[in-house]
């Protein structure tokens, strides 16, 4: 069964723009990205939208639908009532390039700042042995499709551009936690998380976890354990004594 839906889509460039109204056909089984494509095909040929897989796996099609970050390819039109106005806007935390396409290079810069897996020098390839529980812990984090909706929704940077310098966002604090939990990683991830990537800014509001399309428990399984690891280091009496003696 087809019907006509009311769409409001943000149109503009470099942050200057406005919402435009459209009435557009919807068919059974369609998702929001189908409707955006129909708008391109019938009414707005220059409407810019980023997408790739249309299967919830590439993380390209992140937008805000009625104010909530969502993958447009995974948001079924049946989620909404037929008379509801559906507002589609670009992710708010990142600068707009055009229409629904944002410049997410902030995320790539943060990714580059985190040193990669650093194994001990004396362990040769083929000699790595891990407990299943350690494998499972990092496997959860590796389900990330880099849609950046968690970084988009985190209040630390969503309304505070000035924090972007010192806060990597949940996606990359989770990456640091993943490496810190890896039994063969020898880099100092705890100081890195706290001092360079702003772990202390996170006040565990869990908005990041709520929007993750891969249902990764970012806050409970990565951020809170990482905070505990940092605190353990800080208040460990032996570490404290060591710091007193050797940092004189
Ligand atoms: Fe997206 Fe989840 Fe990865 Fe964040 S952790 S970038 S919300 S998939
Ligand atoms: Fe932000 Fe997630 Fe922490 S939304 S405040 S990083 S729990
Ligand atoms: Fe790939 Fe939506 S188009 S996740």
């Amino acid at each position: 069964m087809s019907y006509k839906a009311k769409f409001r889509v943000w149109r503009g460039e470099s942050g200057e723009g406005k919402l435009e109204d459209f009435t557009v056909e919807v068919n059974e089984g369609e998702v929001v990205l189908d409707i955006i494509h129909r708008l391109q095909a019938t009414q707005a040929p220059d409407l810019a939208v980023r997408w790739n897989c249309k299967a919830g796996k590439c993380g390209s099609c992140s937008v805000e639908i009625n104010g909530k970050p969502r993958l447009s390819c995974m948001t079924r039109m049946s989620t909404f009532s037929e008379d509801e106005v559906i507002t589609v806007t670009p992710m708010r935390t990142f600068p707009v390039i055009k229409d629904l396409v944002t410049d997410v290079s902030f995320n790539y810069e943060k990714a580059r700042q985190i040193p990669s897996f650093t194994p001990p020098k004396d362990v040769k390839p083929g000699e790595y042995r891990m407990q299943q529980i350690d494998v499972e812990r990092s496997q959860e984090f590796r389900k990330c499709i880099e849609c950046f909706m968690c970084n988009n929704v985190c209040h630390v940077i969503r309304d505070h551009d000035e924090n972007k310098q010192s806060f990597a966002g949940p996606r990359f604090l989770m990456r640091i936690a993943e490496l810190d939990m890896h039994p063969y990683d020898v880099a100092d991830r705890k100081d890195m998380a706290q001092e360079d990537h702003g772990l202390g800014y996170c006040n565990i509001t869990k908005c990041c976890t709520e929007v993750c399309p891969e249902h990764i428990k970012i806050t409970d399984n990565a951020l809170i354990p990482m905070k505990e690891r940092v605190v353990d280091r800080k208040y460990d009496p032996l570490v404290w004594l060591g710091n007193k003696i050797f940092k004189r």
Side-chain angles (χ1 to χ4, degrees):
M1 284 283 277
S2 305
Y3 67 95
K4 301 269 186 205
K6 288 194 170 48
F7 260 64
R8 308 196 86 189
V9 182
W10 197 90
R11 306 290 315 271
E13 282 185 52
S14 313
E16 300 284 320
K18 59 179 174 36
L19 290 166
E20 263 181 41
D21 290 317
F22 299 95
T23 303
V24 55
E25 183 186 318
V26 177
N27 301 310
E28 199 168 341
E30 286 183 330
V31 293
V32 169
L33 185 59
D34 290 316
I35 310 308
I36 303 280
H37 285 162
R38 182 161 301 121
L39 283 177
Q40 282 181 323
T42 58
Q43 304 180 45
D46 62 338
L47 171 60
V49 61
R50 185 186 281 130
W51 67 284
N52 209 308
C53 68
K54 206 166 175 279
K57 284 295 158 220
C58 73
S60 312
C61 66
S62 310
V63 288
E64 299 192 6
I65 304 176
N66 292 349
K68 278 198 179 153
R70 286 174 180 270
L71 296 179
S72 62
C73 76
M74 296 303 283
T75 307
R76 291 193 171 276
M77 285 301 296
S78 56
T79 320
F80 311 101
S81 59
E82 293 187 7
D83 55 359
E84 195 172 345
V85 179
I86 298 164
T87 305
V88 188
T89 49
M91 285 195 284
R92 192 166 101 197
T93 300
F94 311 118
V96 172
I97 298 174
K98 184 170 168 14
D99 303 335
L100 300 175
V101 178
T102 50
D103 175 358
V104 290
S105 50
F106 161 82
N107 300 285
Y108 299 119
E109 279 160 31
K110 294 294 172 184
R112 269 195 295 273
Q113 288 166 13
I114 299 168
S116 55
F117 174 58
T118 312
K121 289 201 171 36
D122 56 348
V123 183
K124 296 185 192 61
E127 291 181 356
Y128 292 78
R129 297 289 179 272
M130 280 173 76
Q131 300 282 330
Q132 187 59 27
I133 192 167
D134 290 325
V135 174
E136 281 161 13
R137 211 174 264 147
S138 65
Q139 254 170 0
E140 181 190 11
F141 307 144
R142 295 186 77 86
K143 286 193 302 180
C144 174
I145 58 169
E146 304 224 306
C147 66
F148 305 128
M149 291 200 292
C150 55
N151 278 7
N152 173 53
V153 84
C154 178
H155 68 96
V156 176
I157 46 176
R158 187 168 171 90
D159 296 312
H160 298 279
D161 249 19
E162 70 278 12
N163 288 341
K164 283 186 176 165
Q165 183 76 11
S166 39
F167 185 68
R171 196 280 166 254
F172 297 106
L173 289 168
M174 179 177 85
R175 170 71 178 147
I176 296 173
E178 177 195 332
L179 291 164
D180 198 59
M181 290 174 192
H182 196 297
Y184 280 100
D185 187 86
V186 294
D188 186 356
R189 307 288 173 182
K190 295 174 185 68
D191 283 353
M192 189 185 298
Q194 196 69 4
E195 286 162 25
D196 304 331
H197 295 289
L199 180 64
Y201 281 87
C202 164
N203 56 352
I204 54 177
T205 56
K206 296 199 183 187
C207 309
C208 51
T209 303
E210 275 170 31
V211 299
C212 179
E214 288 294 316
H215 308 292
I216 304 171
K217 294 202 167 89
I218 308 169
T219 321
D220 286 354
N221 291 351
L223 305 182
I224 294 174
M226 196 61 206
K227 279 175 178 284
E228 286 167 352
R229 283 163 179 254
V230 169
V231 169
D232 280 353
R233 144 91 56 99
K234 206 166 164 193
Y235 298 108
D236 181 325
L238 289 178
V239 174
W240 180 83
L241 192 65
N243 282 342
K244 280 274 171 215
I245 295 169
F246 296 114
K247 284 198 178 164
R248 271 194 239 196

